Amino acid sequence: MAGDVWDILLPSWAWLDVPDVGRNNASGGDGRGILCFQHKLPSIVFSTGGYTGNVYHEFNDGLLPLYIKSQHLHGQVVLVILEYHSWWVTKYGEIIGQVTNYPVIDFRKNKRVHYFPEMIVGLNIHDELSVKLELMKDGKCIKDFRELVRKAYAPIFSSMPQTQSITKEQSFPLRHSRLVSQLGKPKLVNISREKSRKMMNQKEIVKLAKKFGFEVEILTPKRSTQMVEMFRALNSCDVMVGVHGATMTHLLFMRPGFVFIQIVSK
């Protein structure tokens, strides 16, 4: 409402030159000056609290709802994060960079004062891993989110080194995944698990896929695996197959129209 004052807290980024912001000095209760920011842009306030490194929730409860709320602003928005986690901002920095052109604000870190002409508080989930066309005013859908992800990662993986050969029955480090098959064969990516819900007949599956003409790549993602590495592997595949679990969220990295096979254990 007009005249309302919102105190938004900012981390002490002394080295940042915050763009599109006017600065004024105000006096605090102890007589010291308080640095104030008069923003010309709207803000989106949301939380990254509750995430435990589960990639499904990071996309379904965070990145997709953030895209739904922000995409019509075309980067001209300031993100204000409650329960700020630096690992989340680092892990998804490339995607966040497509959502906003400005530094992210940590709500609880600092006691500076921010004034926004408009605030969007909270995010909305359409459905599981979904952007529903009928709920978007400008006709955006999940394909548009996937295109945003491509813009985030493509400039990075295009400059990464590629291996020149694939060894039979080998499990490939993600950082050496190839973009395309030199043999011109369709590519099948098998997402492998090391502990629970492990595929007991993985060798047989690989052998059968090769018999039908696929080039097979086995990926075993870890918590330390970078998103750009997963995107590079899955962006180039024709088929992705794996056992049900959070890692299967990476189907969002596949090109539209290709095949995703999820195995659900009884």
Side-chain angles (χ1 to χ4, degrees), residues 1-8 113-116 119:
M1 295 177 63
D4 284 358
V5 176
W6 295 73
D7 290 345
I8 307 298
V113 179
H114 291 252
Y115 300 93
F116 294 96
M119 297 184 72

Side-chain angles (χ1 to χ4, degrees), residues 9-261:
L9 314 180
L10 180 72
S12 52
W13 289 324
W15 53 273
L16 285 179
D17 180 18
V18 182
D20 203 16
V21 171
R23 303 186 180 191
N24 301 288
N25 286 327
S27 178
D30 57 3
R32 293 182 300 174
I34 300 176
L35 186 61
C36 301
F37 293 91
Q38 184 70 45
H39 293 262
K40 299 178 182 178
L41 303 173
S43 67
I44 296 178
V45 182
F46 66 102
S47 175
T48 59
Y51 297 153
T52 58
N54 184 298
V55 69
Y56 170 80
H57 291 292
E58 289 161 11
F59 274 87
N60 189 68
D61 305 344
L63 294 172
L64 277 164
L66 179 59
Y67 171 77
I68 290 169
K69 282 291 188 181
S70 67
Q71 52 80 30
H72 67 287
L73 297 170
H74 306 290
Q76 295 302 300
V77 61
V78 178
L79 303 183
V80 180
I81 301 182
L82 309 175
E83 301 297 334
Y84 180 99
H85 294 291
S86 59
W87 66 263
W88 186 86
V89 175
T90 300
K91 184 175 182 178
Y92 296 109
E94 291 84 4
I95 295 179
I96 294 170
Q98 294 295 316
V99 172
T100 177
N101 300 327
Y102 304 95
V104 174
I105 293 176
D106 180 349
F107 184 86
R108 302 183 186 278
K109 184 76 173 183
N110 196 292
K111 292 186 177 181
R112 295 173 181 175
V113 179
H114 291 252
Y115 300 93
F116 294 96
E118 178 185 354
M119 297 184 72
I120 301 170
V121 181
L123 305 176
N124 295 110
I125 297 175
H126 283 176
D127 205 339
E128 290 193 49
L129 300 178
S130 299
V131 178
K132 290 194 173 182
L133 179 66
E134 64 273 19
L135 298 178
M136 302 292 286
K137 294 181 180 179
D138 53 2
K140 299 291 185 180
C141 64
I142 192 67
K143 287 184 179 181
D144 297 291
F145 174 77
R146 197 269 174 193
E147 176 61 15
L148 178 142
V149 174
R150 187 196 67 79
K151 289 179 179 178
Y153 292 130
I156 303 174
F157 76 66
S158 62
S159 64
M160 296 171 71
Q162 307 297 316
T163 56
Q164 299 300 311
S165 63
I166 291 183
T167 306
K168 183 178 180 181
E169 303 297 344
Q170 182 179 356
S171 180
F172 304 95
L174 295 181
R175 66 181 66 257
H176 300 303
S177 307
R178 297 193 314 170
L179 270 177
V180 293
S181 169
Q182 294 180 347
L183 303 177
K185 296 180 179 180
K187 176 181 172 183
L188 182 147
V189 171
N190 181 189
I191 304 295
S192 178
R193 300 174 65 99
E194 293 183 322
K195 297 180 180 179
S196 63
R197 284 175 278 177
K198 186 175 181 179
M199 204 177 290
M200 303 303 295
N201 61 338
Q202 183 168 278
K203 289 185 178 180
E204 288 80 359
I205 291 174
V206 169
K207 184 177 180 180
L208 183 63
K210 289 181 177 180
K211 179 180 179 180
F212 281 97
F214 284 97
E215 175 186 335
V216 179
E217 183 171 349
I218 302 173
L219 301 183
T220 308
K222 297 178 173 56
R223 291 177 69 90
S224 60
T225 301
Q226 296 182 15
M227 289 293 103
V228 65
E229 296 173 337
M230 291 298 295
F231 185 84
R232 182 174 68 170
L234 295 171
N235 180 66
S236 64
C237 78
D238 301 283
V239 179
M240 170 184 171
V241 60
V243 178
H244 171 76
T247 303
M248 303 307 279
T249 304
H250 293 108
L251 69 93
L252 294 170
F253 293 175
M254 297 181 69
R255 292 166 291 167
F258 289 84
V259 179
F260 166 67
I261 301 173

